[in-house]
Amino acid sequence: MSVSIVIVSFNAREHLERCLEAVAGGEHEVIVADNASSDGSPALVRERFPSVRLVELEENIGFGAANNVGMEAASGDWFLLLNSDAWPVDDAIRKLSAFGEAHPRAGIVGPRLRNTDGSLQPSVRGHPTLWRIATEYLFLRRLAPRSRALNA
């Protein structure tokens, strides 16, 4: 199974450098879709990470559209859409792709996200229902933050 990592960058040179240090040169394809950065991000990729494919966009087309451009340039069986301010640890990429292979009905798989201090970073929500939307927009969740009825 082959993985293509797509990273969208827009003036995120410092974050991008840390991210690429974690993924470049591995067994997967890495593509950076740069949204017309002016902070030297493209030069960083060209000079320090020659194994990374750089797609330089002429203007900032937005995060979603740049991910699409990166995926169009990719050749992997799996896409890992990785934010430029994140990086995988240990063998997370292999575990994600293995999970996807083992669960062919899954359309999307995602990792557990951690903050730099190791604490869990909430990254998912339940399926949107009228009740969930109401509890969020009417601030009912704040009344009982530990209630499963209000915070499903």
Side-chain angles (χ1 to χ4, degrees):
M1 67 192 108
S2 61
V3 177
S4 293
I5 300 172
V6 177
I7 304 165
V8 173
S9 179
F10 177 67
N11 291 334
R13 186 181 192 284
E14 289 179 30
H15 293 298
L16 180 62
E17 184 173 22
R18 172 66 181 97
C19 179
L20 290 175
E21 285 172 351
V23 298
E27 58 189 47
H28 25 263
E29 173 183 44
V30 180
I31 299 165
V32 171
D34 187 80
N35 262 328
S37 293
S38 59
D39 67 346
S41 293
L44 167 78
V45 175
R46 281 192 301 274
E47 294 165 14
R48 288 232 14 241
F49 304 97
S51 66
V52 172
R53 181 167 180 195
L54 175 63
V55 179
E56 293 184 74
L57 301 166
E58 293 181 12
E59 62 182 343
N60 187 342
I61 61 172
F63 182 73
N67 269 312
N68 288 337
V69 168
M71 287 187 288
E72 287 172 4
S75 62
D77 297 321
W78 295 94
F79 299 130
L80 172 57
L81 305 181
L82 185 62
N83 287 8
S84 59
D85 64 347
W87 57 89
V89 295
D90 303 325
D91 61 346
I93 297 170
R94 185 199 57 77
K95 286 180 178 179
L96 278 172
S97 57
F99 183 89
E101 288 289 328
H103 298 84
R105 292 186 47 154
I108 297 173
V109 297
R112 177 176 293 142
L113 301 182
R114 299 255 178 221
N115 294 306
T116 54
D117 66 1
S119 61
L120 185 64
Q121 184 180 106
S123 62
V124 297
R125 294 182 182 211
H127 186 74
T129 64
L130 186 56
W131 176 248
R132 285 190 177 133
I133 292 168
T135 60
E136 183 173 343
Y137 287 104
L138 298 174
F139 302 103
L140 298 175
R141 295 176 180 190
R142 292 184 184 178
L143 297 175
R146 298 192 195 282
S147 165
R148 290 186 66 81
L150 297 178
N151 294 282

